Amino acid sequence: MVGAVKLLAVLGGVLAVPHLCRISSFVWLYFLRPSSLRRYLHGPSPYALITGATDGIGKALARELLRNGFNLILHGRNETKMKKVVEELRKSVPDKPDADIRYFIADASQAGHDFTQMIETFKDLHITLVYHNVGGSDTSPERLDERTEDYLYAMLHKNTLFALFLNRVLLPHLRRSAKSGPVLVQFMGSLAGDVAPPRLSIYAASKGFLESLSHGLDNDELFFDGPTGVRYAYLVAGPVQTGPMGENFRTPSCETFAKAVMARTGCGGRRVVPYAVHAVLLWFMGNVLGDAAVDRFSAEEIRSLIEQAKKGE
Ligand SMILES: NC(=O)c1ccc[n+]([C@@H]2O[C@H](COP(=O)([O-])OP(=O)(O)OC[C@H]3O[C@@H](n4cnc5c(N)ncnc54)[C@H](OP(=O)(O)O)[C@@H]3O)[C@@H](O)[C@H]2O)c1
């Protein structure tokens, strides 16, 4: 009898090990680990490049990076709005008057850009951080067969191909920056990429594309003729307060989310959930709720977002 109890105790201990490891890495990542952001402040004048930087998460990332001593290369689609954002950033971070803020304008949902030409004016700058942030989807009730081909191409360009082609032309320049210190390229992902809710299948698939792309490119730079010093990470974002949804514990403001991204930048993970509550949510969905409940719950969320969007029209 005593032997059986001992055996069960040992078995319990062994089974608890993965959970204890998971809890300790959670506590380390979100509460104890100092930020590595400063490691990317190398070279005479380091730059961070952020796409989709005139609003939402991208604009908040730009502000945090400026505050932390980076020069900025911002991307947007509307030059008038971009100029206002640059002014706003300068005002909100008055202690960095010498920081260089540049921008480039391109509609990410359009095909046919000359990407080499696009980066011509800033390709020789010392870029150490890249945030491929531009992306998103509308929440409307149409199914795939009710969408036009043009709409689908525009979605795919904005959410995948723009980042792919921009990254392609940037890479040789990033490898050059990596000669004096680490360089990190991050793709903004979404919880939707894991859950694939109804009516968001193209958007979800595009995030799946970015996750695999990021993983594969990291392998390229690390294990094949490398390491080159350029690393990649895929960031998983849950809901962030940009649209109609209100801010709450689960839905942080863009500023709170951007601070979380800064805190996790360079943590070494290839798939990083920057905001702790989103990490708990993902764990809960995967380990407690199960697929069927998550699918039903996400369908209800999308239904209510579509209703809200309709009311806002
Ligand atoms: N917000 C969330 O809850 C959430 C959740 C998960 C993942 N994400 C991801 O986070 C990223 C940013 O999302 P967000 O909510 O911050 O988006 P947002 O508030 O809609 O801002 C998106 C930014 O991208 C720009 N943009 C949009 N379409 C563009 C186009 N065709 N060409 C060039 N620029 C364009 C916008 O420019 P304008 O200022 O001109 O509109 C803006 O600067 C996306 O990749 C999204 O998938 C967001």
Side-chain angles (χ1 to χ4, degrees):
M1 182 64 184
V2 176
V5 171
K6 266 192 187 157
L7 190 68
L8 281 176
V10 170
L11 194 63
V14 170
L15 290 176
V17 169
H19 297 291
L20 289 175
C21 289
R22 198 167 260 230
I23 291 169
S24 15
S25 54
F26 178 87
V27 172
W28 168 249
L29 182 63
Y30 295 104
F31 300 105
L32 301 176
R33 188 187 160 278
S35 168
S36 304
L37 195 61
R38 296 194 66 79
R39 288 178 57 223
Y40 299 91
L41 280 171
H42 56 80
S45 187
Y47 282 77
L49 186 153
I50 308 121
T51 66
T54 51
D55 224 325
I57 296 171
K59 187 165 91 172
L61 289 175
R63 187 175 298 120
E64 283 308 311
L65 288 159
L66 184 62
R67 256 187 209 136
N68 281 284
F70 289 86
N71 300 292
L72 301 177
I73 303 165
L74 309 178
H75 157 257
R77 59 179 159 181
N78 176 331
E79 187 154 18
T80 312
K81 185 168 181 181
M82 177 61 86
K83 283 183 174 161
K84 280 191 191 141
V85 168
V86 172
E87 222 173 279
E88 202 185 305
L89 287 170
R90 288 227 178 266
K91 275 193 192 135
S92 64
V93 189
D95 60 325
K96 304 282 180 204
D98 298 332
D100 186 24
I101 308 182
R102 307 195 180 193
Y103 64 79
F104 64 108
I105 302 295
D107 184 344
S109 56
Q110 295 284 317
H113 291 298
D114 180 342
F115 284 88
T116 306
Q117 186 59 37
M118 193 184 286
I119 66 161
E120 188 53 35
T121 57
F122 58 82
K123 70 178 186 349
D124 294 326
L125 299 175
H126 191 75
I127 303 171
T128 62
L129 281 174
V130 179
Y131 294 86
H132 288 288
N133 166 73
V134 71
S137 172
D138 52 10
T139 30
S140 52
E142 287 82 12
R143 290 166 189 263
L144 179 63
D145 51 312
E146 292 159 338
R147 295 292 194 186
T148 64
E149 283 190 7
D150 284 348
Y151 172 89
L152 297 176
Y153 278 124
M155 275 288 287
L156 291 174
H157 276 285
K158 179 162 100 170
N159 284 290
T160 61
L161 297 179
F162 188 77
L164 173 71
F165 290 124
L166 180 59
N167 185 68
R168 175 177 169 272
V169 292
L170 282 174
L171 242 179
H173 307 288
L174 299 179
R175 289 195 195 109
R176 192 193 53 229
S177 300
K179 289 193 183 355
S180 65
V183 169
L184 181 64
V185 181
Q186 298 176 88
F187 293 94
M188 189 58 74
S190 169
L191 210 107
D194 292 35
V195 175
R199 303 302 196 268
L200 285 184
S201 50
I202 307 300
Y203 174 66
S206 72
K207 295 302 186 189
F209 172 93
L210 291 181
E211 182 167 9
S212 297
L213 179 71
S214 162
H215 192 146
L217 292 176
D218 199 46
N219 280 335
D220 263 352
E221 298 302 311
L222 204 51
F223 298 118
F224 222 81
D225 303 331
T228 63
V230 179
R231 297 292 313 267
Y232 286 86
Y234 172 78
L235 303 177
V236 188
V240 178
Q241 210 283 317
T242 48
M245 55 200 152
E247 188 184 323
N248 55 44
F249 188 55
R250 194 188 61 148
T251 309
S253 66
C254 291
E255 287 66 34
T256 303
F257 183 74
K259 281 186 172 42
V261 172
M262 297 300 119
R264 292 339 136 218
T265 291
C267 67
R270 286 173 155 182
R271 176 186 155 92
V272 178
V273 188
Y275 187 59
V277 179
H278 292 162
V280 174
L281 193 66
L282 260 167
W283 179 87
F284 188 74
M285 289 186 334
N287 294 280
V288 179
L289 285 182
D291 285 351
V294 170
D295 291 343
R296 265 199 302 276
F297 177 72
S298 69
E300 280 318 308
E301 286 253 299
I302 296 299
R303 208 185 297 283
S304 114
L305 282 175
I306 290 174
E307 287 306 318
Q308 277 182 44
K310 265 192 204 154
K311 279 182 200 153
E313 273 168 11

